[in-house]
Amino acid sequence: MRGIPTAFDPARSPERQDKILFTPGPLTTSFSVKKAATIDLGSRDISFIQVIKDVCSGLLKIAGVSEKDYTVVPVQGSGTFCVEAVLSSSVKRDKGVLIIANGAYGLRMAQMAKVHKIVHTVFECNDDEQPDLQKIEHLLQTVAKDYSHVAVVHSETTSGIINDVESIGMLVRRYNKSFFVDAMSSFGAVPVDFNAANIDFLVSSANKCIEGIPGFSFAICKKSALEACKGNASTLSLDIHAQRAGLDKDGQFRFTPPTHSLLAFRQALLEHEQEGGLEARASRYKENQRVLQAGMARLGFELYLKPHLQGYIISSYRFPTDPNWNFTTFYNKLNERNFVIYPGKVSKADCFRIGHIGRLFPQDTQALLEVMTEVCQEMKTAAFYSK
């Protein structure tokens, strides 16, 4: 990892550095990414228009798709804004979408469909299981046979599970549907074959595996699928076809863009490439996860997911059964020591989550484990203490 920019701010003393975020986003970012956001540019500035072009071409490069077939639509706001933008722009209300959900973010798509009065069916699975392909095919043959779209989350950070979007996409292609993938927390670190998965729309966010700062999200769209969205949007500001048309016309956002976030993201894209691209980033995240899992096992914490289902973006751990355990106390004690983890979100068990993404390195994960050991000893809790 030598030579990769870190989060260390040379203008601050060691005790005044930022907290280390073991979360699914916003994330710990490099000092150089943060510094890139300190420049003021006008939204119609020629230099800023070039930033937008650089960002869009960089994203297509990571996706491994050509500018002839795909384009990028940046959308102001968090990833949820862009998911809603794609759903409300691409799915005609009477055509329908099959939503495959094994966590909170798939179910959030269903909420959006309901708000926009889009016909939809939710195939809800347990959050510790991958969707059953045979059941998906049955739905495509029956209740969803006249639907135009299928949507799924790639990396469901509710639990940390990774869904097999390539296999689902092959089914979608067989039944002649458009395929929408929410790759919010996976794009840039978990490989996806756009062609094999038959992806028409893929959404992610600036503050995930590319390691930018919050402020915008983006949809990577097959041009033919995006063109089919023309005139279909049920909102003005979330119309992805109009957004891309505006950029194609004069290189500018229709409404005020997040200039600082885009400047930081261009730097983040450069650092993603300098690190070695998707493969190298994935390798670092996997090592972060490996170090954590070994240490958590020693401490007596149990993974929520079975190992073969566990992705390397974020991991969920079950609460210990020890009567001295209290997550709020545990969280606060870690936070006081400048380590931030994440509450749980799974439906069937009490859990907490620890992320592996962002400008984190194995030594950061090891430092977290050392602090967790101290905290567990103070609380007189966790399985290791009673052994």
Side-chain angles (χ1 to χ4, degrees), residues 347-366:
S347 59
K348 298 197 303 180
D350 291 323
C351 294
F352 62 92
R353 293 175 288 171
I354 298 178
H356 312 297
I357 63 177
R359 196 43 55 113
L360 300 176
F361 299 87
Q363 58 265 34
D364 297 312
T365 305
Q366 187 58 49

Side-chain angles (χ1 to χ4, degrees), residues 157-344:
T157 52
T158 298
S159 63
I161 199 167
I162 298 286
N163 290 321
D164 183 358
V165 295
E166 278 91 356
S167 295
I168 295 170
M170 289 177 189
L171 271 180
V172 173
R173 187 197 300 269
R174 189 182 308 163
Y175 288 89
N176 197 30
K177 315 292 184 186
S178 290
F179 193 30
F180 170 30
V181 176
D182 173 348
M184 202 67 61
S185 63
S186 59
F187 181 78
V190 182
V192 172
D193 186 326
F194 272 65
N195 183 56
N198 186 43
I199 294 174
D200 292 289
F201 304 95
L202 180 142
V203 166
S204 189
S205 177
N207 55 290
K208 301 294 183 180
C209 293
I210 307 299
E211 300 182 4
I213 64 175
F216 79 99
S217 43
F218 53 88
I220 300 174
C221 310
K222 189 177 289 183
K223 286 185 174 179
S224 57
L226 180 61
E227 188 56 33
C229 298
K230 185 176 182 179
N232 189 52
S234 53
T235 70
L236 173 67
S237 58
L238 298 180
D239 184 339
I240 60 171
H241 184 275
Q243 184 87 330
R244 186 63 247 180
L247 289 165
D248 288 338
K249 178 182 177 182
D250 56 20
Q252 299 173 18
F253 278 68
R254 295 175 299 154
F255 312 114
T256 303
T259 54
H260 300 88
S261 181
L262 280 154
L263 281 162
F265 193 73
R266 182 172 66 171
Q267 177 64 27
L269 285 169
L270 176 63
E271 294 178 13
H272 186 276
E273 184 176 14
Q274 290 173 338
E275 185 172 357
L278 187 150
E279 185 176 340
R281 183 127 320 165
S283 178
R284 174 159 60 87
Y285 292 170
K286 287 176 182 179
E287 183 62 11
N288 289 342
Q289 183 197 46
R290 187 197 66 77
V291 171
L292 182 79
Q293 287 189 353
M296 293 295 275
R298 288 193 296 270
L299 289 174
F301 286 100
E302 180 186 354
L303 272 170
Y304 175 69
L305 291 175
K306 295 175 181 177
H308 72 281
L309 297 175
Q310 178 65 60
Y312 51 85
I313 300 301
I314 193 168
S315 298
S316 294
Y317 285 91
R318 296 177 183 273
F319 284 3
T321 56
D322 190 304
N324 291 331
W325 170 260
N326 180 282
F327 175 72
T328 301
T329 301
F330 183 69
Y331 176 93
N332 288 339
K333 285 181 175 289
L334 292 177
N335 191 49
E336 289 165 4
R337 292 163 165 86
N338 294 328
F339 292 87
V340 180
I341 61 171
Y342 221 54

Side-chain angles (χ1 to χ4, degrees), residues 146-165:
D146 294 324
Y147 288 2
S148 59
H149 288 66
V150 176
V152 71
V153 176
H154 185 204
S155 170
E156 179 53 86
T157 52
T158 298
S159 63
I161 199 167
I162 298 286
N163 290 321
D164 183 358
V165 295

Side-chain angles (χ1 to χ4, degrees), residues 357-377:
I357 63 177
R359 196 43 55 113
L360 300 176
F361 299 87
Q363 58 265 34
D364 297 312
T365 305
Q366 187 58 49
L368 171 67
L369 288 164
E370 291 169 6
V371 169
M372 289 177 70
T373 302
E374 294 174 8
V375 169
C376 287
Q377 289 172 337

Side-chain angles (χ1 to χ4, degrees), residues 7-277:
F8 187 80
D9 181 349
R12 302 186 197 177
S13 59
E15 62 273 11
R16 292 183 60 247
Q17 298 296 316
D18 290 338
K19 294 179 179 181
I20 304 176
L21 307 182
F22 290 86
T23 64
L27 307 166
T28 290
T29 55
S30 72
F31 174 70
S32 44
V33 163
K34 287 188 276 279
K35 186 178 179 181
T38 62
I39 299 169
D40 293 328
L41 282 180
S43 61
R44 301 181 190 280
D45 191 307
I46 294 173
S47 299
F48 181 66
I49 291 173
Q50 186 60 49
V51 170
I52 298 170
K53 291 178 180 177
D54 291 345
V55 163
C56 291
S57 61
L59 288 170
L60 292 177
K61 183 177 180 180
I62 292 172
V65 295
S66 73
E67 292 188 16
K68 179 174 69 74
D69 298 320
Y70 283 85
T71 190
V72 175
V73 183
V75 174
Q76 300 95 318
S78 72
T80 298
F81 283 58
C82 200
V83 171
E84 186 164 2
V86 170
L87 274 177
S88 61
S89 297
S90 67
V91 187
K92 294 182 179 180
R93 292 185 181 185
D94 60 342
K95 290 298 183 181
V97 56
L98 173 62
I99 299 169
I100 301 164
N102 58 345
Y105 298 98
L107 294 175
R108 186 177 292 177
M109 289 189 195
Q111 288 180 285
M112 294 170 187
K114 184 177 180 180
V115 166
H116 289 278
K117 297 180 172 58
I118 296 170
V119 174
H120 63 284
T121 295
V122 181
F123 173 37
E124 186 173 358
C125 323
N126 291 329
D127 53 26
D128 59 350
E129 296 176 355
Q130 288 182 326
D132 186 304
L133 293 174
Q134 288 186 331
K135 291 181 179 179
I136 294 172
E137 183 161 27
H138 175 71
L139 289 169
L140 291 170
Q141 293 170 340
T142 55
V143 67
K145 65 183 176 66
D146 294 324
Y147 288 2
S148 59
H149 288 66
V150 176
V152 71
V153 176
H154 185 204
S155 170
E156 179 53 86
T157 52
T158 298
S159 63
I161 199 167
I162 298 286
N163 290 321
D164 183 358
V165 295
E166 278 91 356
S167 295
I168 295 170
M170 289 177 189
L171 271 180
V172 173
R173 187 197 300 269
R174 189 182 308 163
Y175 288 89
N176 197 30
K177 315 292 184 186
S178 290
F179 193 30
F180 170 30
V181 176
D182 173 348
M184 202 67 61
S185 63
S186 59
F187 181 78
V190 182
V192 172
D193 186 326
F194 272 65
N195 183 56
N198 186 43
I199 294 174
D200 292 289
F201 304 95
L202 180 142
V203 166
S204 189
S205 177
N207 55 290
K208 301 294 183 180
C209 293
I210 307 299
E211 300 182 4
I213 64 175
F216 79 99
S217 43
F218 53 88
I220 300 174
C221 310
K222 189 177 289 183
K223 286 185 174 179
S224 57
L226 180 61
E227 188 56 33
C229 298
K230 185 176 182 179
N232 189 52
S234 53
T235 70
L236 173 67
S237 58
L238 298 180
D239 184 339
I240 60 171
H241 184 275
Q243 184 87 330
R244 186 63 247 180
L247 289 165
D248 288 338
K249 178 182 177 182
D250 56 20
Q252 299 173 18
F253 278 68
R254 295 175 299 154
F255 312 114
T256 303
T259 54
H260 300 88
S261 181
L262 280 154
L263 281 162
F265 193 73
R266 182 172 66 171
Q267 177 64 27
L269 285 169
L270 176 63
E271 294 178 13
H272 186 276
E273 184 176 14
Q274 290 173 338
E275 185 172 357

